[in-house]
Structure formats: C-alpha cells, structure tokens
Amino acid sequence: MNKQELAEEITELVKAFRQGDEQAFNRLVFLFQTKIYNLCLNYVKAPEEAKDLAQDIFVTAYRALPKLREEKKFAAWLYQIAVNHCRNRYKRLSRRGFFSNRSLDDPDTYLQVTGDESPEKHLEKDNVIQLVRNTINSLGEAEREILILRDLQELSYDEISTILDIPLGTVKSKLNRARSSLKDRLKKIKQHL
C-alpha cells in the first residue's frame, strides 16, 4: 500500500469511527501502534513505561477524535497528542529521578522495536545502536525531538511542521542543525575510539 492509499484509508477510518464504527478506531490503532510506541520509547527509554504512555495517547485520541476538524489530518493530529504526552511524561519521570536510575547500556532501551531480526544481527548492531542512542540523548531537547520525528519516525516535513507548530523552513533548518550536531559528535567519538 502506497502513502496515498494509506492516507485515504486513514481518512475513511476516521469517518467510519465518527459514524459509530468502533472497529474503525481499532484499525487506526493497528496502523499507528508501532510508530507511536517507538516514539514513546525514544522519550521514556523503558518498554513498560512506553506501553503505558502509548495506551494513554490512544485513549486521549479516542476521546478527542470527534472534535478533529479535518479527517485527512488525523496522523499529524495524533502525533501532536503523542509528542505532548511524551514531553509531559518525560518531564514527570525526570523530576522523579527515573532516568538517573537507568543504566546507559540497559539492553531494554532501544531506539526502535526490531522486527524478526536474528539474535546474531541484533548483537552486531548493539554497539552502533548504543553509540547513536547515547549521542542522540546528549543533544538538546529540540534537536533530539526533531531527529526522532524525522529520522526515526520518518514523518514528512509538513507533518513535523504541523505537530511542532513551527514553519516548514524552521523544520528544515532545525533538522539540518540537529543532523550536523549529531554527525559532529559521532565524528569526535569515532576519533577517540
């Protein structure tokens, strides 16, 4: 299914849900659950916490969906909800000292959920993933967030502009700066290895 077909399906599912089809929302959750979970995991770093957070996001979306003005903007709208929930949860967990109690090399804190990857392949990637994760986490909040949305969540520039409520040009310039910063930091680390 290409992006256009997927966008059309999402719009139809939103319409169907608004007309009382509860299964339409279940299909929407199915289409977005992995991406939303991965977004949560990139913020809170703990699988169980990410599952709870993702569930809270979908509950909020379920309750607020009747108020969505344009069905075709469901994905950006859902990500706005998700980013706001993630930011709030991250701040709350930080105040409780949640992140200071977690080891940087904790194997449960992955950038993305892996598919049907063999254990050997997973182990090969482990060091690189750890290095990139630590480097992304060392970036400022704005840089980290825009990298997660574009490069890990693979959202379009327009979607990010809508989600973060910033102009398209600002998205591009912030992303460019964030990528440059990440690249520079990784180069420095590589030189010291």
Side-chain angles (χ1 to χ4, degrees):
M1 181 179 300
N2 67 35
K3 280 189 170 191
Q4 180 62 34
E5 292 170 336
L6 181 61
E8 290 171 6
E9 179 183 359
I10 291 166
T11 301
E12 291 305 313
L13 288 168
V14 171
K15 286 178 184 176
F17 175 73
R18 287 177 156 181
Q19 295 169 354
D21 182 357
E22 295 287 324
Q23 293 304 311
F25 190 79
N26 292 341
R27 175 74 178 141
L28 287 167
V29 170
F30 176 77
L31 291 172
F32 287 93
Q33 67 187 357
T34 302
K35 285 194 173 269
I36 295 299
Y37 171 77
N38 284 328
L39 177 68
C40 296
L41 191 59
N42 278 296
Y43 273 85
V44 299
K45 316 289 186 258
E48 287 304 313
E49 192 69 34
K51 286 177 191 173
D52 290 345
L53 180 53
Q55 185 175 3
D56 290 347
I57 290 164
F58 284 115
V59 167
T60 299
Y62 179 86
R63 290 177 179 155
L65 189 53
K67 298 173 190 162
L68 177 64
R69 291 185 200 146
E70 296 180 56
E71 286 98 358
K72 66 183 179 186
K73 293 191 176 183
F74 174 81
W77 174 81
L78 178 63
Y79 272 98
Q80 277 181 318
I81 292 170
V83 166
N84 287 333
H85 273 281
C86 287
R87 285 175 179 165
N88 292 337
R89 182 73 58 96
Y90 180 83
K91 288 175 187 171
R92 191 168 42 242
L93 291 172
S94 291
R95 283 192 300 266
R96 289 191 349 220
F98 180 80
F99 299 108
S100 61
N101 297 332
R102 297 189 61 81
S103 169
L104 287 176
D105 59 356
D106 186 341
D108 290 335
T109 57
Y110 295 102
L111 288 172
Q112 298 287 335
V113 173
T114 56
D116 295 330
E117 199 172 76
S118 72
E120 294 80 23
K121 284 221 180 255
H122 178 72
L123 287 173
E124 287 175 22
K125 293 180 181 179
D126 220 22
N127 287 338
V128 174
I129 289 172
Q130 186 63 44
L131 176 66
V132 173
R133 179 179 47 232
N134 290 342
T135 308
I136 289 173
N137 287 337
S138 73
L139 297 173
E141 181 180 345
E143 289 179 327
R144 184 174 58 244
E145 188 168 73
I146 205 151
L147 280 173
I148 289 170
L149 292 174
R150 178 66 184 149
D151 295 335
L152 299 179
Q153 293 291 303
E154 299 176 347
L155 297 177
S156 71
Y157 295 112
D158 289 329
E159 290 170 319
I160 296 168
S161 173
T162 302
I163 292 164
L164 298 179
D165 195 25
I166 57 176
L168 187 60
T170 305
V171 170
K172 291 177 180 180
S173 63
K174 282 187 170 197
L175 183 61
N176 187 42
R177 281 193 301 273
R179 284 176 175 163
S180 292
S181 181
L182 179 62
K183 184 179 174 183
D184 291 346
R185 289 176 189 222
L186 288 170
K187 272 185 185 177
K188 287 178 185 174
I189 291 168
K190 186 179 176 185
Q191 290 171 353
H192 290 100
L193 292 179

